[in-house]
Amino acid sequence: SSEINDLEETIYFSRRCLLARRLLERGVRFIQVWLGNDNGFPRRNWDSHENIQRDHGPLALGMSRGIASFLTDLAQRGMLDDTLVIWGGEFGRTIYSQGGLSKENYGRDHHPRCFSMWMAGGGAKGGVIYGETDEFSYNIVKDPIHIRDFHATVLKMLGFDHERLTFRFQGLDQKLTGVLP
């Protein structure tokens, strides 16, 4: 059914986090925990452009409970220092409404300019906030960071020198973090 309650969302995402921890214990080095529509199973998903309170509220609650337990579990087992956890998506959301606006049904469009990501464990410094948007969350007003810089940071935390990590493409050695256009 399309009416999925908060507890179901928590269980759904928490099971994925438990599986991730078990894979880590068995030596798997990269794990992606994804939340969305699986194999036709009708679930809420983050790419909702309407009814965000109905859809995103339970998703956020279920995910926050699951990730909090996951991080606590890793820390209790002594695994968090060696595990880099990254949470985010490929875009943010506009602050303004999209589509038909009503008190009960409103949505937000994709916003590639401003988005949030966070990291925990694996050498990430806790409590650090970098970057800031204007009061409308529309433009970056402080400490903009290019996605290539974020990638360079992640690679460094994983023990790679992004300047030396190259791949051959069209006869040239390319860097994953490239140079700004």
Side-chain angles (χ1 to χ4, degrees):
S1 108
S2 62
E3 292 302 316
I4 301 167
N5 68 40
D6 298 346
L7 181 58
E8 287 175 291
E9 291 296 350
T10 300
I11 292 168
Y12 182 76
F13 188 71
S14 296
R15 284 183 176 158
R16 290 167 177 250
C17 290
L18 177 60
L19 178 59
R21 193 257 295 151
R22 289 178 175 167
L23 289 169
L24 286 168
E25 288 175 325
R26 285 156 182 80
V28 176
R29 296 176 53 106
F30 180 87
I31 302 160
Q32 177 182 353
V33 178
W34 184 79
L35 180 62
N37 191 338
D38 295 337
N39 302 319
F41 185 69
R43 300 201 65 80
R44 292 181 179 97
N45 68 65
W46 291 105
D47 195 18
S48 173
H49 292 259
E50 69 278 333
N51 244 329
I52 59 172
Q53 187 170 3
R54 179 199 69 202
D55 293 341
H56 289 194
L59 281 170
L61 183 61
M63 186 172 279
S64 66
R65 288 173 174 166
I67 200 70
S69 296
F70 179 63
L71 294 173
T72 300
D73 191 19
L74 290 179
Q76 289 174 345
R77 294 169 186 276
M79 298 171 65
L80 188 57
D81 290 342
D82 297 324
T83 305
L84 178 61
V85 179
I86 303 170
W87 183 95
E90 71 276 21
F91 56 81
R93 290 286 184 166
T94 59
I95 194 168
Y96 50 84
S97 184
Q98 175 190 16
L101 176 62
S102 73
K103 186 176 182 180
E104 294 80 31
N105 187 11
Y106 49 91
R108 295 167 61 187
D109 200 2
H110 297 185
H111 190 42
R113 191 174 312 140
C114 303
F115 58 94
S116 299
M117 298 189 102
W118 60 256
M119 296 186 286
K125 293 181 185 176
V128 174
I129 297 173
Y130 196 85
E132 185 178 317
T133 63
D134 60 22
E135 64 271 18
F136 300 108
S137 301
Y138 191 75
N139 287 308
I140 302 167
V141 296
K142 181 180 175 191
D143 297 328
I145 183 169
H146 195 279
I147 194 67
R148 291 181 184 112
D149 295 322
F150 176 74
H151 291 158
T153 300
V154 170
L155 288 169
K156 181 178 181 181
M157 294 174 81
L158 295 175
F160 296 100
D161 179 354
H162 77 96
E163 294 286 341
R164 297 185 62 205
L165 185 60
T166 62
F167 62 96
R168 200 88 172 136
F169 181 69
Q170 295 183 342
L172 299 173
D173 287 331
Q174 305 285 327
K175 288 190 279 187
L176 291 177
T177 51
V179 294
L180 292 177

